[in-house]
Every structure is written in C-alpha cells, then in structure tokens.
Amino acid sequence: MINSPNSNPESDRPMIIDDSDRYSRLKLIAWWEQEKIAAARILVVGAGALGNEVIKNLALMGIGEINIIDFDEVQESNLSRSVLFRAAHEGQAKALVAADMARDLNPDCDINPIVGDILTDIGLGFVADMNLVICCVDNREARLWINRMCWKTNRPWIDGGIQEINGVAKVFCPPLGACYECAMTENDYRLISLRYSCPLLRKEDIQQGKVPTSPTIASIIGGLQVQEALKLIHDLPSAEGSALVFNGLSNNFYQTRYPRRPDCLSHETYDEIIDLPLMAKTATADELFVQLKKTIASQDLTDSSWQIIMDRDFLISLNCRTCGIERQEQIPLSRVSAEQGICHTCGEVCHPLTTSEIECDSELAKKTLFDLGIPEYDIIKVSDGLETLFVKLQNDSPQLSRHAVKVSSQPTNRTGSTSATFQCKEC
Ligand SMILES: [Zn+2]
Ligand SMILES: [Zn+2]
C-alpha cells in the first residue's frame, strides 16, 4: 500500500491506494462508486468492432451484469478491429466468444451471451430489467427497434456509429427527452422503408453494405458510449437527447442537441405492467386472456372482445399475384425463409397477407405465444377496445432460474433491492 497525493479536494484525508484491489485506481476518481458499477445491468446489442470495445471497457470496470446479443459469427475480416477475437475463433458465434474473452478479462462480471437477433429474440421484460442498453449495430432498423423497446420500458440507451475514422455517440433518455426517431431524417426513413419493401427477404438474404471502419474510431466511440453509460449509472449529467460527433480527419468534436418531435411515433411508454405466471413457449394466447381476466376481475373492465396487439407481423397466407394462388402459411413473418416466400408454380416472390392482432377465442389464439412470434419474457400489449393493459410473461424471467429472486418492474441489483433508476433530468 502507498499513500498518494489526495485528488479529492473535498477531503483532507490522504488517499490510500491498495494495489491488491483491482479497482483501486478507478476508486481514486472523486465521484466513482464501484458498488453502483457492480450493481449495474447492461445489455450490449452487437459484438462487432464497436461492441468489442464497449464490452472490453464494461468488463475492465467491473460492471455487474453484461448481456451480449449478436447473431453473427467471427470472420477473419473482423480480426483487424475486434480486440476480443482471435484467428482460432473463426466460425464461432461472436456473442459467445466475446463473453468468454470478457470473463477472462474480469471474472467479477456476470456475462451472458445471447446468440440471436434483437428484432425477434429479446422480450421487453429483459430490457426492463436492465439499467441501460448500449447499441453497437450498423443499421437503422435495429436502432429504431431498440429505441422503441427502450421507450416502452423507460430505459436509457446509448447509440454508437462509426465510418472510416469518424463517428458519433448518441444518448437517449425516455420518457421526456428527444429519441432516436425524433432525430431521423427523410433519408433515414427512405432507407428503412427500402428494407421493409421486401418483407420476405430475411436479414441474411439482404446484401449488407460493408461500412469501412478502423479500430481507432471503434475505440474512440466505444469509449465515449461507455463514459456516457458511467455518467448515467452515477446519476451525473449526461449527453441525453444529443449526439457527440467526432470528425477524425479534422479533429473536430462537437455536441448537438436534438429537439423532441411531438408527432414522433416512438414515444409510447408502458406503465403498470401486470406480471402473469406464463411462459411464451407453453402458454397459448387464449390462456393469457383467461389468466388476465382472472387477475383484473376486481377492476371495472367490460368483458368485451380482447386482442393481443403484437409488435411483430404474423403471416396468414402467401399470395402469388401472377398465378392468383393463395397458400396458407401461418408462422411469424420473421421466420419465413426466402425460399418459402416464392410461388411454387411460377417462382415469383409472393405477397404476404399478415396480421398483428390476435383476437380472443380465434383460431390463432389456440397457438402458443412463441408460435405467434412473441419472444420469451416479453411484455405483451392487450386491449379490450376500451383499456390497454401490459402483461409480462413472468415465468420466462431468467432471474427465476439464475438467482431465484423476485423481479420487480424496476431493475434490481444483486441484493434484490431496487437500484437507482436513470430518469431524464427534466422529469
Ligand atoms: Zn421521438
Ligand atoms: Zn405464381
């Protein structure tokens, strides 16, 4: 142990550095609270160049729970920009490799990989359990989706984007600030609608443009994202509702604040979430209606027609406009392969007839929620035409199997008590 010059002007005591404490240098930062870092639960979406840098920083600092979602595999071309990947990892899932390597960096962290797609595989309950989400993806569709998930669950998120040696980090704090969609331009909408114009092409069938990036800009923007996360965790003022823009060629760095658009479609926040002891893979939609009616029996609600309003489209049939043939094919639209979407007679791409509403006592309501495209641990929007209710599939909670502690609608730390929530400073 050595005594160091005191860096905290508020204290006259000499500061003790314990070199056997992994976090001793971090704790010298005046406002640093390792307990808050150890209690934080973060979801990182994307384990590419940016995700690698973010995960590395989170692990080094000892973030309590790091969840990593990515559907991709490590390729040789990733090795020039991804600090966690090695040549031997080629062909392995990025999420699994990143989690393994981050555990090696810091065994204190609870690191959970999810090999999957944020658009289809993560329930809202999972996001609601996080303190914040850090987004390291390369497309607008996923960003818009994450934006809406975070607004619905009232969780802040930090976006990152890199190109060549330039980049931007954006901080969004629901419910009152400007969101990602508030800042979207006509061109952003046009590019997203291009992806939607052919709904039967799955993500892997769409030729993604490869964005040129360097490991240096991934470090800079990944570092900025994690620093903003640190501020949110410590309840310090952050860059909420604004973008931190860095031009690496001119070394120009500036912050620009977004105005909140009153007509923005992303500002729905779910309140009063009802926990039901159901699982997506075993409960049918009708079982959800029955449970919900039992639960709210004491409330003054009319027993009219109930509907599940889904976030994702469900395919009813495929129609070939050339042949006039209609083929019944009832699965979630996201699970339709490009091959399935082709007319068996003429080979043209079929037009899908879809729905996003499941009525009580209908044929579709006999299907399990999972078969309707609802992910595990989701929060489901249910309406009887008068009231809208939000139902969480509580028995899918990873907490039930991993920690056996009660999960509230607020994020909980490891001792089970409610941790600090990161509200917009204007709220
Ligand atoms: Zn908005
Ligand atoms: Zn045809």
Side-chain angles (χ1 to χ4, degrees):
M1 276 194 200
I2 55 165
N3 288 339
S4 82
N6 188 0
S7 60
N8 183 353
E10 290 174 11
S11 168
D12 292 333
R13 285 177 292 119
M15 202 158 275
I16 307 296
I17 299 175
D18 179 0
D19 277 330
S20 64
D21 176 359
R22 173 190 280 264
Y23 309 107
S24 60
R25 293 294 196 281
L26 303 175
K27 289 173 182 171
L28 291 179
I29 298 170
W31 46 265
W32 194 275
E33 290 184 66
Q34 195 61 42
E35 303 72 30
K36 284 190 175 173
I37 308 245
R41 309 173 73 185
I42 295 183
L43 172 63
V44 181
V45 185
L50 205 49
N52 265 249
E53 288 295 324
V54 166
I55 294 160
K56 173 208 73 180
N57 288 334
L58 296 177
L60 287 175
M61 298 186 311
I63 292 286
E65 185 181 308
I66 307 169
N67 300 279
I68 304 164
I69 180 165
D70 196 305
F71 58 77
D72 219 352
E73 292 175 352
V74 177
Q75 294 178 306
E76 194 166 348
S77 61
N78 301 135
L79 300 180
S80 60
R81 288 155 298 124
S82 307
V83 68
L84 301 174
F85 300 157
R86 307 285 179 269
H89 296 139
E90 217 177 309
Q92 297 178 36
K94 284 181 178 175
L96 297 177
V97 175
D100 272 350
M101 296 297 277
R103 270 186 217 113
D104 194 42
L105 271 180
N106 189 350
D108 291 351
C109 307
D110 182 4
I111 304 179
N112 309 301
I114 303 156
V115 181
D117 187 339
I118 187 71
L119 297 178
T120 51
D121 300 329
I122 289 284
L124 284 170
F126 194 82
V127 178
D129 283 353
M130 296 297 112
N131 292 116
L132 58 93
V133 177
I134 302 183
C135 176
C136 306
V137 302
D138 61 359
N139 70 85
R140 290 167 181 78
E141 187 185 13
R143 288 188 176 104
L144 186 58
W145 188 262
I146 292 162
N147 184 56
R148 291 190 178 171
M149 287 182 105
C150 287
W151 237 261
K152 284 170 186 168
T153 54
N154 201 9
R155 292 290 170 264
W157 73 284
I158 303 165
D159 188 25
I162 52 175
Q163 187 159 3
E164 297 181 1
I165 63 166
N166 308 315
V168 58
K170 303 174 184 175
V171 183
F172 301 107
C173 296
L176 298 180
C179 81
Y180 175 78
E181 187 167 1
C182 288
M184 270 173 52
T185 62
E186 289 298 317
N187 192 45
D188 291 325
Y189 281 112
R190 189 183 62 80
L191 289 168
I192 286 176
S193 72
L194 271 181
R195 286 171 69 89
Y196 279 118
S197 63
C198 208
L200 292 179
L201 291 182
R202 292 186 305 168
K203 58 183 183 295
E204 59 264 43
D205 303 318
I206 297 172
Q207 199 59 40
Q208 298 260 9
K210 298 291 180 194
V211 181
T213 61
S214 68
T216 48
I217 193 66
S219 300
I220 292 167
I221 299 301
L224 273 178
Q225 285 178 282
V226 175
Q227 289 203 155
E228 290 307 306
L230 271 179
K231 293 178 195 170
L232 289 168
I233 288 168
H234 284 88
D235 232 350
L236 293 171
S238 71
E240 63 187 59
S242 60
L244 305 169
V245 185
F246 179 68
N247 182 318
L249 272 182
S250 62
N251 279 334
N252 186 14
F253 180 80
Y254 63 93
Q255 178 170 349
T256 177
R257 200 169 169 81
Y258 296 123
R260 182 179 162 100
R261 254 178 39 204
D263 62 337
C264 175
L265 297 173
S266 285
H267 295 172
E268 184 182 23
T269 299
Y270 291 0
D271 53 356
E272 290 191 44
I273 292 160
I274 301 166
D275 291 352
L276 289 186
L278 298 173
M279 297 174 96
K281 285 191 172 163
T282 54
T284 64
D286 270 341
E287 283 163 3
L288 181 143
F289 291 123
V290 169
Q291 282 268 359
L292 183 60
K293 283 178 190 175
K294 272 192 215 161
T295 307
I296 60 167
S298 59
Q299 295 184 28
D300 185 24
L301 290 175
T302 56
D303 200 279
S304 54
S305 180
W306 289 78
Q307 281 188 334
I308 290 175
I309 318 288
M310 298 199 294
D311 291 328
R312 300 163 182 85
D313 287 330
F314 186 83
L315 182 66
I316 301 294
S317 64
L318 290 164
N319 305 295
C320 177
R321 284 167 173 167
T322 311
C323 307
I325 294 172
E326 179 180 326
R327 176 157 43 102
Q328 297 292 312
E329 198 85 68
Q330 298 190 345
I331 53 172
L333 191 64
S334 62
R335 295 181 202 160
V336 181
S337 67
E339 198 185 332
Q340 271 175 297
I342 286 171
C343 171
H344 295 165
T345 308
C346 72
E348 292 278 316
V349 175
C350 292
H351 178 76
L353 177 69
T354 62
T355 184
S356 58
E357 291 166 2
I358 307 297
E359 285 173 22
C360 185
D361 292 330
S362 66
E363 271 305 302
L364 287 180
K366 295 183 173 64
K367 288 184 179 290
T368 66
L369 299 167
F370 188 80
D371 286 344
L372 291 167
I374 292 170
E376 291 176 277
Y377 202 30
D378 204 14
I379 300 171
I380 300 171
K381 188 172 172 180
V382 184
S383 175
D384 71 341
L386 299 170
E387 293 262 0
T388 300
L389 300 168
F390 304 102
V391 174
K392 183 155 75 174
L393 304 176
Q394 189 59 32
N395 280 13
D396 281 330
S397 166
Q399 294 291 321
L400 287 181
S401 53
R402 286 176 43 214
H403 301 301
V405 295
K406 185 178 178 297
V407 178
S408 73
S409 57
Q410 293 293 323
T412 54
N413 63 22
R414 282 143 169 244
T415 58
S417 61
T418 302
S419 62
T421 55
F422 308 124
Q423 296 280 347
C424 167
K425 296 293 175 298
E426 291 161 16
C427 303

